């Protein structure tokens, strides 16, 4: 069965608890439920992880090789800074969809740069938690997975 990893970076464990005006009221646990429902409807299996540590995120990307078929990555602020994460993605040869809850292009200029975009299939941003469902669908379409075909 096709398997997708949804990987979340720093501070996203606080979703729904702080800054609701920017990131909404949905918690990361609720986002995980949404992802699991989406994966089930598409007939794919799902891994869901979050870390506040760059090295742990890199280890999780390396470990995805041979386990998952692609990654949905919300790298949080590391998106705008981490050449190490970009290199990790290049090293595993797995398709990555870059995801953000907010529209990073409508925010501060330092958020307009993405090292992840350089090594991603594409980017989804600005749709809040629904972006996770969109990203899983986009990744499955890229992997040519249709609902019911495992
Ligand atoms: O919009 C996104 O998903 C971001 O990846 C979120 C990052 C931000 O640095 C990126 O530019 C865009 C920040 C995640 C922080 O999450 C929080 C959630 C609740 C309360 C505080 C922070």
């Amino acid at each position: 069965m096709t398997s997708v990893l949804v990987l979340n970076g720093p501070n996203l464990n606080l979703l729904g608890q702080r800054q609701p005006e920017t990131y909404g009221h949905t918690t990361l646990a609720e986002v995980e439920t949404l992802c699991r429902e989406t994966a089930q409807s598409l007939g794919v299996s799902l891994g869901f992880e979050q870390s506040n540590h760059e090295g742990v995120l890199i280890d999780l990307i390396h470990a995805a090789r041979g386990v998952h078929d692609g990654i949905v990555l919300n790298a949080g602020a590391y998106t705008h800074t981490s050449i190490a994460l970009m290199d990790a993605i290049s090293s595993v040869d797995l398709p990555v969809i870059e995801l953000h809850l907010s529209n990073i292009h409508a925010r501060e200029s330092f958020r307009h740069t993405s090292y992840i975009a350089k090594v991603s299939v594409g980017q989804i941003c600005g749709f809040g938690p629904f972006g996770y469902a969109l990203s899983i669908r986009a990744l499955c379409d890229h992997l040519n997975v249709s609902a019911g075909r495992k």
Side-chain angles (χ1 to χ4, degrees):
M1 186 192 282
T2 298
S3 183
V4 167
L5 174 63
V6 177
L7 188 53
N8 296 282
N11 298 307
L12 287 162
N13 54 309
L14 297 177
L15 265 189
Q17 301 170 42
R18 302 263 195 287
Q19 290 179 239
E21 65 287 357
T22 307
Y23 298 116
H25 291 278
T26 307
T27 65
L28 194 62
E30 289 166 341
V31 167
E32 179 172 357
T33 299
L34 171 66
C35 289
R36 296 209 174 278
E37 287 168 357
T38 304
Q40 193 175 17
S41 76
L42 292 166
V44 301
S45 70
L46 186 100
F48 192 94
E49 303 281 355
Q50 187 274 333
S51 177
N52 292 324
H53 306 280
E54 190 175 22
V56 173
L57 293 166
I58 290 167
D59 287 344
L60 287 166
I61 291 168
H62 291 171
R65 226 171 128 238
V67 177
H68 299 289
D69 298 289
I71 302 173
V72 171
L73 177 60
N74 185 347
Y78 287 142
T79 302
H80 319 298
T81 62
S82 181
I83 295 168
L85 269 180
M86 179 182 78
D87 286 346
I89 293 166
S90 298
S91 75
V92 294
D93 199 27
L94 287 171
V96 169
I97 307 292
E98 178 184 356
L99 168 67
H100 301 284
L101 293 153
S102 61
N103 179 359
I104 56 172
H105 304 288
R107 300 183 65 191
E108 305 96 320
S109 59
F110 62 81
R111 295 187 204 275
H112 301 175
T113 297
S114 170
Y115 287 101
I116 307 303
K118 299 176 199 305
V119 288
S120 294
V121 176
Q123 183 189 73
I124 293 176
C125 69
F127 294 98
F130 183 54
Y132 282 81
L134 291 173
S135 299
I136 292 168
R137 287 187 173 273
L139 179 57
C140 288
D141 185 77
H142 179 79
L143 293 167
N144 206 16
V145 175
S146 13
R149 209 195 77 205
K150 294 170 193 171

